[in-house]
Amino acid sequence: MTARKLLPSRITLRARLTLIYGGLFLVAGVVLLGTTYALFNQQLGRPNLQLLTVKATPSPAASPAPDVDAPLPETDAMRWMQDQQRQLREAAATSLLTQGSIALGLVGAAAAAFGWLVAGRVLAPLHQVTETARRIAAAPAAGGGLHERIALRGPDDEVKELAGSFNTMLERLDRSFDGQRRFVANASHELRTPLTVGRALVELAMNRRTVSEDTRQLGESLLQINARHEQLITGLLLLATSEKELTERRPVDLADVAAYVVAQAGSLASRAGITLHDKLDEAPTTGDALLLERIVHNLVENGIRYNTQPDGWVRVVTRTRDDGHVEVEVSNTGPVVPPYEVPALFEPFRRLGDHRQITAKGAGLGLSIVRSVAATHGGWATATAREDGGLVVTVTLPAGPDDDGLRR
């Protein structure tokens, strides 16, 4: 393990503010302690101590001195006083530095702790803004969570101004997403009516006894075009619906959903000469059963439609992982897909080799709907290209209650 890995990945703003508070306090304390030491040392160095004279007391056994009031020699007294002054200065300076350093360390630690508390209190509104942004970003549906607002209390300062600007941005984004979804849904409904009427008129004209063969062929072509447009509108409506946040979740077993879809797709696979394989283990989750059915249906349908090999196959697998997720995996034979083009297949109207044209194979919304529905359920969809051709598409969802919970 390198030394770089032992270090923290980042230093938080609260820790940086604490280091700044503590560092400034220690610098100020060192300057104050140094100034005090200099003044104290200067005060002790002043020559304000007078020489002391000591009177000699004659000893009874000794002969009387000629002058009993004679002082000690001046050089000895000065030497003694200077030595005492030096010892006093050294003791006082040592005591000042030692005790002052200990006091400075203790008070510095207390100041750092107090700075940590103050920084946490000052940054608490920013943490509230961050948590709200994370909840909105983690919302499973596109645009989900934009209705949430930051209810920040406190003084009218810069942080509250930031929260207000964030709320304004959320409000505008929420209106934009709602308007987009309403437009797609309303347009899909409005366009479906004339297409239904047009299909009915064409079928009525084709069923006449006097209709010519050319008119019948023209009617069949018009019906095919009409069916493609209806498929496109249905896909757009489903895509708009799948991007809404789920209001109700119910236990669903992906194995049951996959078994139903495989049974329904049997006739389509037989007409295309494709063999269906399945290995369906229990994969309980929660969500909307119809939307989850649409995931498997789109994957199986794409696997059949884009299968070009004469002995092609489509395999459907469901399983439960050990990390609290379930998976449905659909793989198929087909044309070789360049790995760099795989991510683009999840975009609307994107198709391998033909990005914009609507063909009989579909409108290019299948994988887009799969990814959108998976995200709405708190999961994700991935795809990898097979070396021999075809794709392996895996949809991962959070695991739900077990089989007993489903039966309850």
Side-chain angles (χ1 to χ4, degrees):
M1 183 178 293
T2 62
R4 186 176 180 180
K5 292 183 178 180
L6 295 176
L7 297 176
S9 59
R10 66 187 182 96
I11 301 178
T12 62
L13 180 58
R14 185 178 185 182
R16 291 200 299 268
L17 289 176
T18 302
L19 291 176
I20 292 174
Y21 296 155
L24 291 177
F25 181 85
L26 288 178
V27 170
V30 170
V31 172
L32 178 61
L33 183 61
T35 304
T36 304
Y37 174 76
L39 294 176
F40 184 75
N41 209 13
Q42 180 182 5
Q43 186 71 20
L44 286 180
R46 290 183 177 179
N48 55 358
L49 297 177
Q50 299 178 354
L51 294 176
L52 299 177
T53 58
V54 180
K55 294 183 178 181
T57 304
S59 175
S63 60
D67 187 3
V68 296
D69 294 331
L72 292 175
E74 184 177 355
T75 56
D76 294 339
M78 287 293 296
R79 191 180 300 111
W80 181 83
M81 290 301 301
Q82 290 176 357
D83 184 64
Q84 293 296 319
Q85 187 178 14
R86 180 180 57 79
Q87 293 181 7
L88 177 62
R89 184 188 301 113
E90 291 178 355
T94 302
S95 177
L96 175 64
L97 291 178
T98 303
Q99 300 297 331
S101 299
I102 295 175
L104 180 61
L106 294 176
V107 178
F114 183 73
W116 175 268
L117 296 177
V118 171
R121 188 173 184 85
V122 172
L123 295 176
L126 289 180
H127 290 311
Q128 187 175 354
V129 175
T130 303
E131 290 299 326
T132 304
R134 286 178 179 174
R135 285 196 300 270
I136 295 174
L146 292 177
H147 59 278
E148 188 173 357
R149 299 293 180 268
I150 303 175
L152 190 61
R153 298 179 180 178
D156 191 9
D157 53 8
E158 290 83 356
V159 178
K160 196 167 185 180
E161 183 179 357
L162 173 63
S165 301
F166 192 77
N167 288 335
T168 303
M169 180 188 67
L170 290 178
E171 185 177 357
R172 296 186 64 179
L173 288 175
D174 194 15
R175 289 200 302 264
S176 177
F177 272 93
D178 283 341
Q180 181 183 10
R181 283 192 290 263
R182 284 195 301 268
F183 171 77
V184 174
N186 294 334
S188 300
H189 283 295
E190 293 296 329
L191 291 175
R192 182 179 294 179
T193 301
L195 287 177
T196 303
V197 174
R199 184 181 71 243
L201 293 176
V202 172
E203 290 176 349
L204 180 61
M206 290 176 59
N207 290 329
R208 291 180 179 178
R209 296 180 180 180
T210 59
V211 67
S212 63
E213 186 63 25
D214 294 340
T215 304
R216 189 180 300 276
Q217 292 179 359
L218 177 60
E220 291 177 355
S221 299
L222 290 176
L223 287 178
Q224 291 179 0
I225 296 174
N226 196 88
R228 295 170 193 169
H229 291 166
E230 288 182 349
Q231 184 181 11
L232 173 61
I233 292 173
T234 302
L236 289 173
L237 181 60
L238 182 59
L239 185 61
T241 304
S242 64
E243 291 181 347
K244 293 181 180 179
E245 190 173 359
L246 294 178
T247 57
E248 184 178 0
R249 292 176 176 266
R250 293 187 178 182
V252 181
D253 193 343
L254 290 180
D256 297 338
V257 174
Y260 175 78
V261 173
V262 169
Q264 295 294 321
S267 58
L268 178 62
S270 299
R271 291 195 300 269
I274 305 300
T275 305
L276 286 176
H277 304 281
D278 61 78
K279 185 178 183 299
L280 307 178
D281 297 329
E282 291 183 358
T285 184
T286 58
D288 190 311
L290 293 178
L291 292 178
L292 294 177
E293 179 186 338
R294 176 57 59 175
I295 286 181
V296 185
H297 179 271
N298 283 5
L299 294 179
V300 173
E301 189 178 54
N302 283 353
I304 296 174
R305 286 182 173 179
Y306 295 94
N307 216 315
T308 57
Q309 298 184 5
D311 55 347
W313 50 263
V314 175
R315 181 178 293 111
V316 183
V317 179
T318 59
R319 54 178 169 262
T320 301
R321 303 194 326 192
D322 296 332
D323 59 352
H325 291 82
V326 296
E327 288 182 344
V328 54
E329 178 185 280
V330 179
S331 55
N332 70 300
T333 55
V336 177
V337 181
Y340 61 86
E341 290 196 16
V342 172
L345 297 178
F346 286 95
E347 299 297 329
F349 306 108
R350 298 298 293 270
R351 196 179 297 100
L352 180 64
D354 190 357
H355 297 301
R356 303 297 299 176
Q357 184 179 2
I358 300 175
T359 65
K361 290 185 176 181
L365 294 174
L367 291 182
S368 301
I369 295 173
V370 168
R371 184 180 63 176
S372 178
V373 174
T376 303
H377 286 76
W380 60 90
T382 58
T384 55
R386 298 180 65 252
E387 294 182 359
D388 299 334
L391 288 174
V392 179
V393 184
T394 305
V395 177
T396 306
L397 300 173
D402 53 15
D403 189 55
D404 294 336
L406 292 177
R407 285 194 294 268
R408 288 196 297 268

